[in-house]
Amino acid sequence: MQQIVSETPLSSSPSPSSNTLLFPNDKPISSTTLPAKSYILKKCIALLNSCASSIPKLRQVHAFSIRRGVPLSSPDLGKHLIFALVSLSGPMHYARKVFDRIPQPNIFTWDTMIRGYAESEDPSPALHVYQQLRLSSVQPDTHTYPFLLKAFAKLTLLQEGEKLHCAALKDGFEGLMYVQNALVHFYGACGRAESALKVFDKIPQKDLVAWNSVINVHALNGMPNESLTLYRNMCLQNVKPDGFTLVSLLTACAELGALGLGMRAHVYMMKLGFVWNLHAANSLLVLYAKCGNIVDANKVFDGLEEKSVVSWTSLIVGLAVNGFGEKAIQLFREMEIRRLVPTEITFIGVLYACSHCGMVDEGFAYFDRMKKEYGIVPKIEHYGCMVDLMGRAGLVKKAYEYIREMPIKPNAVIWRTLLGACTITGNLTIGEVARDELRKRETKHCGDYVLLSNLYASERRWSDVHHVRRAMLKEGVKKVPGHSLVELANRTHEFVMGDKSHPQTKDIYAMLSEMTRLLRLEGYAPRTSNVLADIEEEEKEDALTYHSEKIAIAFALINTPRGTPIRIMKNLRVCGDCHIAIKLVSKIFERDIAVRDCSRFHHFRDGTCSCKDYW
């Protein structure tokens, strides 16, 4: 016990000044009589309940109780002291020492300890506390499982959580609302959206917390469509959304590129006053950046009364992926001037900006500064940015040597980045090395086969192309088809290459023909080298004409007023021919066209692109 109170030095005997501070109207009381001890105990408990904002005062009350002879083994004092510590997010090692002195803690005290660990930076001891609880004669109650599931969610302990789910079912607590909500959150944190939905569907009276949990689960697990469907169902059940709901909704909209729906959510946020919530405002900033509306992203950022590091980082990353690398670097410098400490994610945005703007020397300089000035240990994502930086600049050999000398083991993404660079530069030797490394890590990733096939095709090694394609068929690997999405009138329309399934197909193809005619008048010639197939030149030209992004743009041109910006989302990299064509379309039809491909945005205006033809 001396160890516990030593952090707040106090004399061994009562100090008049201390007594005056704690009990201004009290006279010293002998600690030898039971009524006196009972009185002191009640006073200490009352004071602990009043220590709502001060750990030092809590320590002072604790020390006073010791000097007045109140034993820490007293269940009443112990449980109130632990509860006060946990409520103040106090040090859990302190709470643990107090807990260990209590001979028979009740379930409230056990739950408080589990809750404290669950809400701390290191929730792992919660599992040990639960195991001790099971070994004791105390039975879990309605609060035990929600607190434990919160800890397991942070630790993503799927198996332990599933065991806990079984235990809750056995103890008859699975049907309780708090337990069900905690299970939904737990399965979502572990990436088990289907399991989370099964639990959610069994909840008879779904409250806002349950809806928020299941919507967020799908939004964060790459299922934005399902997230939006759940949101619509929630509204149909007359459950009003709150700030947490809108953050999940904005996350889903950002992933889908559903700018229209996101803007309506923005209006709703303004009506309810949620725009002043920093977390919600940051989500709104990310939405606009991911949807290519960098102007409104800047407006949200400028309108923030309080800008956190997350706010600065979100805009830096947003500017980088939208092709405004110089502005991203400028914003980072301003952030440093304001003495805000960048995070590892901030530097990913900075390195990404350097990579997509061809700033090789600057990228290496920022990488060194990240380590030396800010003490950030580079992660695999930072090394990936550096490999991408060199690969885009055509420094494939240097990138390969860099990978071999990396202090951490390169993953599949690193080698895939190198293979992609080899495909662009035509370096077959290093490309085959990268493919061999990928075979050791991910044998059935369709993108690896496609990149290698394209590399062989660019060298006109058609027999090797056919060999790669036969290998894909043999191993059951299917190529992900390219598609483009465009949002119009609250609906998202999807097109694939040569798509003729849309009700407006006739009008779309008429516009495509008109686009092709006007493009040729501007001097456009199909870049058939982008068609990596052994077919006739005329067939290559036809194939280029019906790429999904061109079909999506034609659809947007016939369905929107003149001058309306067009935003396209594509799941694959934009090819060189489409890039040239879209630049000219933006000039001919006087439209701003934003195309988000698998790695970045291209903003086309007046015949130019924000990437400056470097991507």
Side-chain angles (χ1 to χ4, degrees):
M1 178 47 59
Q2 294 300 321
Q3 231 177 347
I4 298 175
V5 299
S6 61
E7 297 178 39
T8 308
L10 290 167
S11 59
S12 58
S13 60
S15 166
S17 59
S18 298
N19 287 343
T20 302
L21 176 65
L22 287 166
F23 302 106
N25 300 318
D26 284 350
K27 296 179 181 179
I29 299 174
S30 171
S31 60
T32 58
T33 62
L34 187 61
K37 284 189 178 181
S38 177
Y39 173 75
I40 292 295
L41 175 61
K42 290 180 180 178
K43 272 289 187 181
C44 288
I45 291 173
L47 285 166
L48 286 173
N49 291 334
S50 68
C51 293
S53 60
S54 175
I55 292 290
K57 287 183 180 179
L58 182 147
R59 291 179 182 274
Q60 198 174 19
V61 174
H62 185 188
F64 180 84
S65 70
I66 294 170
R67 292 201 309 272
R68 290 303 178 95
V70 178
L72 190 62
S73 58
S74 165
D76 285 337
L77 179 64
K79 78 174 184 181
H80 282 91
L81 183 55
I82 292 171
F83 180 77
L85 274 167
V86 169
S87 299
L88 291 171
S89 301
M92 284 306 296
H93 65 85
Y94 185 179
R96 180 73 203 199
K97 287 177 181 178
V98 174
F99 179 79
D100 288 340
R101 292 294 186 104
I102 303 173
Q104 291 182 330
N106 60 17
I107 188 58
F108 174 84
T109 312
W110 286 100
D111 287 346
T112 305
M113 286 297 297
I114 294 171
R115 171 196 160 196
Y117 283 122
E119 294 174 353
S120 70
E121 293 183 1
D122 180 20
S124 55
L127 176 58
H128 178 65
V129 174
Y130 173 65
Q131 290 169 341
Q132 283 186 295
L133 168 65
R134 278 298 187 184
L135 291 173
S136 73
S137 58
V138 181
Q139 291 297 314
D141 69 356
T142 56
H143 298 288
T144 311
Y145 293 105
F147 292 148
L148 268 172
L149 287 166
K150 184 176 182 179
F152 291 173
K154 279 188 176 182
L155 297 166
T156 61
L157 296 175
L158 179 60
Q159 289 186 343
E160 294 296 334
E162 288 177 331
K163 291 177 185 176
L164 195 64
H165 188 175
C166 293
L169 182 63
K170 182 180 177 182
D171 291 342
F173 291 123
E174 190 207 23
L176 296 178
M177 182 177 65
Y178 294 123
V179 176
Q180 290 172 324
N181 288 345
L183 282 168
V184 172
H185 171 70
F186 162 74
Y187 282 120
C190 293
R192 299 286 293 272
E194 290 183 3
S195 298
L197 187 59
K198 285 180 180 178
V199 175
F200 175 79
D201 287 338
K202 291 179 181 178
I203 302 176
Q205 298 294 327
K206 300 174 178 64
D207 62 359
L208 181 58
V209 174
W211 283 104
N212 280 347
S213 295
V214 76
I215 290 170
N216 192 53
V217 161
H218 289 83
L220 297 180
N221 281 282
M223 304 170 74
N225 278 315
E226 291 81 355
S227 187
L228 295 182
T229 300
L230 285 162
Y231 172 73
R232 283 192 290 268
N233 292 340
M234 184 190 83
C235 293
L236 291 173
Q237 296 293 324
N238 295 320
V239 179
K240 292 185 178 180
D242 64 358
F244 293 105
T245 321
L246 292 172
V247 167
S248 299
L249 178 63
L250 291 171
T251 301
C253 291
E255 290 304 312
L256 283 173
L259 181 61
L261 181 58
M263 292 177 75
R264 291 200 301 278
H266 187 181
V267 172
Y268 188 76
M269 287 172 64
M270 292 175 67
K271 286 181 180 178
L272 298 180
F274 291 139
V275 286
W276 306 116
N277 179 288
L278 187 59
H279 186 46
N282 287 338
S283 298
L284 191 61
L285 196 162
V286 171
L287 164 80
Y288 284 123
K290 282 194 171 184
C291 289
N293 191 341
I294 205 66
V295 174
D296 282 338
N298 270 299
K299 286 180 180 177
V300 173
F301 180 80
D302 292 338
L304 291 174
E305 292 184 0
E306 176 192 355
K307 297 179 178 71
S308 66
V309 174
V310 174
S311 310
W312 288 87
T313 298
S314 297
L315 188 56
I316 288 169
V317 173
L319 286 166
V321 299
N322 275 276
F324 304 106
E326 294 87 352
K327 290 183 179 179
I329 299 299
Q330 183 182 346
L331 189 67
F332 176 73
R333 289 170 182 160
E334 186 180 343
M335 178 183 173
E336 287 189 305
I337 291 171
R338 293 174 182 266
R339 299 189 180 279
L340 290 167
V341 180
T343 65
E344 57 188 41
I345 299 175
T346 313
F347 274 102
I348 288 175
V350 170
L351 295 174
Y352 191 96
C354 294
S355 174
H356 284 262
C357 291
M359 298 187 291
V360 179
D361 293 337
E362 292 88 343
F364 275 95
Y366 279 117
F367 188 82
D368 289 337
R369 285 189 61 201
M370 177 184 73
K371 294 188 293 181
K372 295 175 182 177
E373 290 186 29
Y374 293 101
I376 297 174
V377 178
K379 292 188 175 180
I380 194 71
E381 293 83 1
H382 299 103
Y383 287 107
C385 287
M386 296 304 293
V387 173
D388 188 53
L389 172 74
M390 290 177 274
R392 289 179 187 277
L395 306 173
V396 175
K397 186 176 180 181
K398 185 176 181 179
Y400 175 55
E401 292 171 353
Y402 185 85
I403 292 172
R404 293 181 63 183
E405 296 173 1
M406 278 169 48
I408 58 178
K409 189 176 180 180
N411 61 7
V413 176
I414 296 283
W415 288 110
R416 192 168 296 121
T417 301
L418 182 64
L419 179 57
C422 291
T423 303
I424 295 170
T425 58
N427 193 317
L428 188 59
T429 304
I430 295 179
E432 289 180 328
V433 171
R435 177 65 187 109
D436 289 340
E437 292 293 337
L438 283 165
R439 281 198 184 103
K440 299 174 185 176
R441 291 164 176 82
E442 294 184 17
T443 57
K444 293 189 177 183
H445 191 285
C446 68
D448 302 338
Y449 289 92
V450 172
L451 286 172
L452 187 63
S453 174
N454 290 347
L455 180 55
Y456 284 136
S458 66
E459 298 294 313
R460 307 186 69 80
R461 291 176 53 171
W462 302 116
S463 61
D464 288 323
V465 171
H466 295 315
H467 176 73
V468 172
R469 290 177 179 174
R470 283 195 298 271
M472 289 180 69
L473 288 171
K474 183 180 178 181
E475 297 182 25
V477 179
K478 293 183 179 180
K479 179 182 175 182
V480 176
H483 68 257
S484 294
L485 304 173
V486 58
E487 186 184 10
L488 183 69
N490 303 329
R491 284 187 59 196
T492 300
H493 301 261
E494 180 177 348
F495 299 95
V496 296
M497 180 178 173
D499 201 329
K500 294 186 178 181
S501 62
H502 199 277
Q504 291 182 280
T505 292
K506 184 177 179 181
D507 294 332
I508 291 170
Y509 275 74
M511 175 54 74
L512 273 174
S513 298
E514 179 64 8
M515 281 170 54
T516 303
R517 185 183 72 81
L518 295 173
L519 284 170
R520 290 186 182 277
L521 290 176
E522 286 288 329
Y524 162 79
R527 191 172 171 178
T528 54
S529 60
N530 287 122
V531 181
L532 301 175
D534 189 15
I535 56 177
E536 296 296 327
E537 196 72 12
E538 186 177 338
E539 292 178 283
K540 289 184 178 182
E541 290 187 14
D542 287 341
L544 290 171
T545 301
Y546 303 122
H547 274 194
S548 64
E549 53 265 58
K550 289 176 182 173
I551 297 175
I553 289 171
F555 168 78
L557 287 172
I558 65 176
N559 284 286
T560 56
R562 186 178 182 87
T564 304
I566 297 173
R567 291 182 174 82
I568 307 294
M569 283 69 68
K570 183 175 172 65
N571 66 326
L572 303 178
R573 187 176 186 270
V574 174
C575 76
D577 176 76
C578 285
H579 195 268
I580 294 170
I582 298 171
K583 283 198 297 184
L584 292 173
V585 168
S586 71
K587 178 183 176 182
I588 295 168
F589 291 91
E590 298 179 350
R591 297 287 191 109
D592 288 354
I593 304 174
V595 178
R596 186 179 86 180
D597 68 9
C598 60
S599 63
R600 62 168 295 159
F601 269 96
H602 296 267
H603 291 267
F604 301 91
R605 172 184 281 186
D606 297 328
T608 63
C609 180
S610 60
C611 74
K612 299 176 183 177
D613 298 337
Y614 185 90
W615 88 98

